[in-house]
Amino acid sequence: YSLNSLICMQSQNFILKTEYIDLSQLLKASGLAMSGGEAKMFITDGLVFVNGEIEFRKRRKLRSGDEVVFDNENKVCIITD
């Protein structure tokens, strides 16, 4: 993603209640995808970055401190309570 897109990006925190959450589950739980199937399609299409790197693994385990960027418009920061 580019610096220009970061300026206009919407950001939200996701509070992690367990050790980790799968990438596709996070997209669904944070409201960026309407279903698990849609989340998997977004990942397959290369629309998701984790910690600045494009991510194609649907079951990528995300932990506290990870940052997910979706479609260069939405950022989700994984945090703990």
Side-chain angles (χ1 to χ4, degrees), residues 2 7 10 15 19 21-23 27 36 38-39 45-46 50 53 55 57 60 65 67-69 71 79:
S2 69
I7 295 168
Q10 293 182 0
I15 299 172
E19 181 184 348
I21 185 169
D22 290 343
L23 179 56
L27 293 179
E38 186 178 51
D45 289 348
V50 175
E53 307 253 336
E55 184 59 71
R57 294 175 289 172
R60 162 79 186 261
E67 289 186 355
V68 175
V69 173
D71 200 22
I79 62 171

Side-chain angles (χ1 to χ4, degrees), residues 8-71:
C8 301
M9 194 174 299
Q10 293 182 0
S11 184
Q12 64 176 300
N13 290 332
F14 181 85
I15 299 172
L16 193 61
K17 305 278 188 199
T18 57
E19 181 184 348
Y20 67 87
I21 185 169
D22 290 343
L23 179 56
S24 60
Q25 291 174 336
L26 174 77
L27 293 179
K28 189 175 156 189
S30 62
L32 298 175
M34 299 301 285
S35 67
E38 186 178 51
K40 291 174 184 176
M41 182 185 69
F42 291 152
I43 297 165
T44 300
D45 289 348
L47 298 175
V48 181
F49 289 77
V50 175
N51 300 327
E53 307 253 336
I54 194 165
E55 184 59 71
F56 292 103
R57 294 175 289 172
K58 298 163 191 72
R59 307 281 294 177
R60 162 79 186 261
K61 290 177 175 48
L62 302 169
R63 293 179 166 80
S64 182
D66 285 335
E67 289 186 355
V68 175
V69 173
F70 169 69
D71 200 22

